[in-house]
Amino acid sequence: MRKMEAFKASLIRGRRDFVVSSSSAPPQPPKGTGNGAGRVYYMSDFGGDPTGQKDSTEHIQSLLDAAAAQAPSAQSVLSSAGSGPSEGSLTAGVPNKAGTADLQGGTYKVSKPVQVPPGGNIVIKDGTIQASDDSPEGGPAIDASPKQAPPAENTESFVDDIKPAQLSPDPSSFSFEYITFQNIMIDSNHRGAGISLSNALRTSIENVYVSHFSTTAINVQPSSSETYITNSFLGQHPTAGRDPHERNFTGTAINLSGTNNALTDVVLFSSAVGVDVSGHGNTLSGVHCYNKATRFGATGIYLRKLGQDVGRNRIINCYLDYSRIVAEDPLQLHISNSFFRGDAFVALKSIKGVVSGVNIVDNTFSGSNKGTGIVQLQQSNGPFNKINQVVVDRNSVTGMSMKATVANGAVRGNGTSFTLDFNPVLLFPNRITHAQYSLIATNGAFPNHVLRSVSNNRVVVATNVPVSATVFATVDQN
């Protein structure tokens, strides 16, 4: 009987055309929608204008509400076992809704944020959402956050004594889990953001295109964790580069204030900041940043300091296309196997003068022979005075100035003093923590020799008698 009912429902749905409704009352789903069909709800059953000419906010909201209605199986579990992980094995307090909202490829105009109802295991897919001219400024097109959630924290308002535990979300505070946004295009119409996540756990954003945002395309707030953004394209203005208005790009493509998130194979093509990272434990892989050229004042990836002992992010296999990375007081930051093109570089920015556990290794830098350093120190707030376990080494450089924390050199001369100047290469000024040298006399002499000084990034080797010799040295700032 269930199979017969499902077959009948599929035939009815197949004959149903899109319905354009002008009623302000939320449309009701047809009887039997989702029954026997895996709880998949179709936009054609809820009215709305798939051409994007008329407002469809309430219709989309009704679609999402239906997809997030409690599944019958979960209701039976609730009545017999109470709330908790037994409801489909989601996090305690997050009910398993097990519903899919299918936009069926239509373009729908919204005049206010569409609210994803709290719950878990909800899929929103296959369509375009466009903000109208009268939608609220600054708001997202799709909002996955509790209705009574407090406003998002300003990343610059955090005090300096915040501990990592305070930045991690409370496991009991999640309102969403396993929400999937798939095959969706969002046109924010220069009104605000694209997708906003708050109190969300294990969110998947797959093959999503967000354009014309004025604030943030995807905003992962501090109360969210384990957000995976993949195969997506984010830009304020559709462009393939060299846009004549490039210097006017604003906004942020992705804000990662939450923890333990991952970006994989994402293209950021126009915005003032590509990825703004203020959480910890995040991984960026295969991210292509050509959002705005550094010479116009923009940043591809910005890692902010949000208090003491906060950091621990990884950037691997990325493409910084004329766009820099800026890291404030970095802690356990790893940047490797990435390509920096067009004089793009890594800037270590001093806030409290601390840099610890930083690896910038095995990258490729390509520039225009302007002498731009591949790694630069920004110390307008004061010099770095707490330096520990920093390794900048094994990078391939063409057309830029090599900077490293490990260097080799040689000097040939005749006399009693031999000086090797490592300032053109070493990253930190006046800092050599380890030096090793060898002296090879070329005239058969056998002099006494000693490492006399390593100050000001210069190695001075002295002999007791004049000698013709070559001195080799290896130095390390780590």
Side-chain angles (χ1 to χ4, degrees):
M1 290 298 297
R2 285 195 297 268
K3 290 182 179 179
M4 293 285 290
E5 290 173 357
F7 179 65
K8 179 180 178 181
S10 67
L11 291 177
I12 294 174
R13 184 164 48 249
R15 294 197 304 267
R16 188 178 290 113
D17 295 325
F18 282 110
V19 178
V20 179
S21 174
S22 60
S23 172
S24 60
Q28 299 299 317
K31 185 177 180 180
T33 298
N35 294 336
R39 283 179 49 78
V40 179
Y41 294 84
Y42 297 92
M43 193 64 210
S44 58
D45 293 331
F46 291 81
D49 179 7
T51 68
Q53 300 299 311
K54 297 182 179 180
D55 187 276
S56 301
T57 305
E58 297 302 329
H59 304 276
I60 296 179
Q61 189 63 64
S62 295
L63 172 68
L64 299 187
D65 290 343
Q70 189 69 53
S73 59
Q75 287 176 344
S76 62
V77 172
L78 276 170
S79 61
S80 61
S83 62
S86 60
E87 304 167 21
S89 301
L90 294 179
T91 297
V94 181
N96 182 7
K97 301 303 182 66
T100 296
D102 191 339
L103 297 172
Q104 295 180 278
T107 297
Y108 295 94
K109 183 179 292 185
V110 296
S111 56
K112 63 181 180 180
V114 178
Q115 178 73 42
V116 180
N121 193 12
I122 301 171
V123 179
I124 305 169
K125 67 172 188 174
D126 296 345
T128 298
I129 295 178
Q130 183 176 23
S132 65
D133 293 337
D134 56 351
S135 61
E137 290 192 14
I142 303 178
D143 189 8
S145 59
K147 294 182 179 180
Q148 302 300 322
E153 297 275 7
N154 186 326
T155 56
E156 297 181 357
S157 67
F158 281 80
V159 294
D160 191 51
D161 59 352
I162 293 180
K163 305 302 182 196
Q166 293 174 281
L167 290 176
S168 299
D170 182 352
S172 64
S173 68
F174 293 113
S175 301
F176 304 88
E177 182 181 2
Y178 192 39
I179 306 297
T180 299
F181 301 91
Q182 188 178 71
N183 306 333
I184 294 175
M185 180 174 181
I186 298 175
D187 184 345
S188 298
N189 194 24
H190 302 289
R191 303 295 295 176
I195 299 174
S196 181
L197 303 175
S198 178
N199 296 79
L201 176 66
R202 304 184 184 113
T203 303
S204 295
I205 300 177
E206 307 169 1
N207 193 28
V208 170
Y209 190 121
V210 183
S211 66
H212 296 149
F213 52 88
S214 61
T215 54
T216 305
I218 299 177
N219 185 17
V220 182
Q221 300 186 32
S223 56
S224 296
S225 182
E226 297 178 5
T227 303
Y228 273 59
I229 305 173
T230 183
N231 297 332
S232 295
F233 307 87
L234 311 170
Q236 190 178 56
H237 302 280
T239 171
R242 298 185 179 181
D243 191 296
H245 303 291
E246 179 183 1
R247 66 180 70 239
N248 300 321
F249 295 167
T250 61
T252 299
I254 300 175
N255 175 48
L256 288 182
S257 297
T259 61
N260 310 324
N261 307 291
L263 309 183
T264 306
D265 299 331
V266 174
V267 177
L268 312 174
F269 54 84
S270 65
S271 60
V273 178
V275 187
D276 195 314
V277 182
S278 52
H280 62 272
N282 299 291
T283 301
L284 282 65
S285 174
V287 178
H288 181 188
C289 297
Y290 68 99
N291 50 293
K292 185 177 181 179
T294 294
R295 65 192 181 98
F296 295 142
T299 301
I301 302 172
Y302 199 111
L303 301 114
R304 296 186 185 276
K305 173 183 172 62
L306 282 191
Q308 188 175 349
D309 298 333
V310 177
R312 304 177 179 91
N313 295 292
R314 292 179 295 162
I315 301 173
I316 54 179
N317 298 324
C318 291
Y319 181 10
L320 281 301
D321 198 347
Y322 288 80
S323 191
R324 65 186 170 182
I325 295 175
V326 177
E328 297 180 347
D329 279 5
L331 170 67
Q332 290 188 315
L333 170 64
H334 184 87
I335 303 174
S336 69
N337 298 106
S338 295
F339 178 42
F340 294 76
R341 178 191 179 204
D343 292 313
F345 59 89
V346 179
L348 306 181
K349 185 175 181 178
S350 172
I351 303 297
K352 296 295 183 180
V354 179
V355 54
S356 178
V358 174
N359 294 319
I360 304 174
V361 296
D362 300 322
N363 301 287
T364 300
F365 293 83
S366 178
S368 55
N369 295 306
K370 296 179 180 178
T372 304
I374 64 170
V375 181
Q376 301 179 17
L377 303 180
Q378 296 183 358
Q379 303 182 93
S380 59
N381 295 320
F384 285 105
N385 48 37
K386 296 180 181 179
I387 303 169
N388 182 45
Q389 298 185 61
V390 180
V391 178
V392 181
D393 194 22
R394 303 196 311 271
N395 295 297
S396 173
V397 181
T398 302
M400 298 179 71
S401 176
M402 169 70 79
K403 289 294 178 181
T405 56
V406 179
N408 302 312
V411 63
R412 178 179 298 176
N414 192 347
T416 59
S417 181
F418 300 82
T419 301
L420 293 88
D421 187 357
F422 289 98
N423 279 294
V425 177
L426 291 180
L427 177 62
F428 297 102
N430 193 23
R431 178 181 175 86
I432 294 178
T433 58
H434 179 80
Q436 184 175 353
Y437 81 94
S438 59
L439 183 148
I440 301 177
T442 57
N443 59 356
F446 198 83
N448 294 327
H449 49 86
V450 65
L451 181 62
R452 180 67 70 185
S453 172
V454 293
S455 63
N456 297 318
N457 285 346
R458 293 181 175 89
V459 171
V460 179
V461 175
T463 60
N464 63 330
V465 295
V467 62
S468 177
T470 300
V471 175
F472 302 89
T474 299
V475 296
D476 194 340
Q477 294 192 313
N478 183 24

